[in-house]
Amino acid sequence: CRHYARKLLRAGAQGREQRAAGAGGAQTWKLSAFMAQWHALVPVGMEPEEDMLSGLALFESAGSGGKESAEISYLDAEDLPRDPEQRFDLLFGSQAPGKPRWEAEQLRPFLEGMTVPPGKQADDVLEDFLHGFRKNGHSDNPLTYIRKTI
């Protein structure tokens, strides 16, 4: 199923690049529309599930409409640089797919394949490059990361 999702997301991203000629950013899909097209694309017997898009698409909520207003865009963890500094520069940069803050659950799939120096774990690398916090310091709020500035 992921193969078909990647194919659909890449086709949309390439079509956007051709139309926008450098306007920046991958195609954004309404999640419901993408799921319908993905379901139509897969062979009979395969059932696309949202969790299969982990590390393949970036999920964003578009306002307060909940799941109905959710959007996704193509971002394949396999296409990201392996070097942590370069990866975080891209993810936290000012150009797409970059954004200034990431919730931990959103960021986690995009850490796969990143080079982790010997004797360190991925969390150590996060600590080297990112600052983690919870809004208003409340443990009920999701852990959010921003890029450290030197």
Side-chain angles (χ1 to χ4, degrees):
C1 272
R2 277 179 64 90
H3 164 75
Y4 293 100
R6 180 179 281 116
K7 185 176 178 179
L8 185 58
L9 287 163
R10 276 189 176 155
Q14 288 170 350
R16 161 101 178 167
E17 287 171 9
Q18 290 170 354
R19 287 188 305 274
Q27 177 178 0
T28 300
W29 298 73
K30 287 283 188 197
L31 179 59
S32 57
F34 177 81
M35 293 300 291
Q37 285 196 21
W38 186 20
H39 194 273
L41 189 62
V42 299
V44 174
M46 286 186 165
E47 283 298 318
E49 305 272 339
E50 281 180 41
D51 64 340
M52 294 176 181
L53 298 173
S54 178
L56 190 59
L58 177 60
F59 288 79
E60 293 288 340
S61 59
S64 59
K67 250 191 171 186
E68 292 301 312
S69 64
E71 298 178 341
I72 64 168
S73 56
Y74 179 59
L75 178 59
D76 193 340
E78 292 178 10
D79 294 338
L80 296 173
R82 293 183 56 80
D83 176 73
E85 185 170 10
Q86 292 175 359
R87 184 172 289 222
F88 293 134
D89 283 347
L90 181 72
L91 292 172
F92 289 86
S94 60
Q95 295 189 345
K99 57 186 198 167
R101 46 183 86 218
W102 288 75
E103 287 186 8
E105 289 302 312
Q106 256 190 339
L107 183 61
R108 191 67 54 192
F110 298 104
L111 301 178
E112 294 294 320
M114 178 178 68
T115 302
V116 176
K120 287 193 170 193
Q121 295 183 3
D123 286 340
D124 298 326
V125 176
L126 287 177
E127 213 171 278
D128 290 344
F129 293 96
L130 308 176
H131 173 71
F133 67 95
R134 295 182 188 275
K135 188 175 181 183
N136 299 325
H138 294 150
S139 61
D140 294 347
N141 292 327
L143 178 60
T144 302
Y145 288 102
I146 59 173
R147 188 79 155 91
K148 285 183 179 177
T149 55
I150 298 174

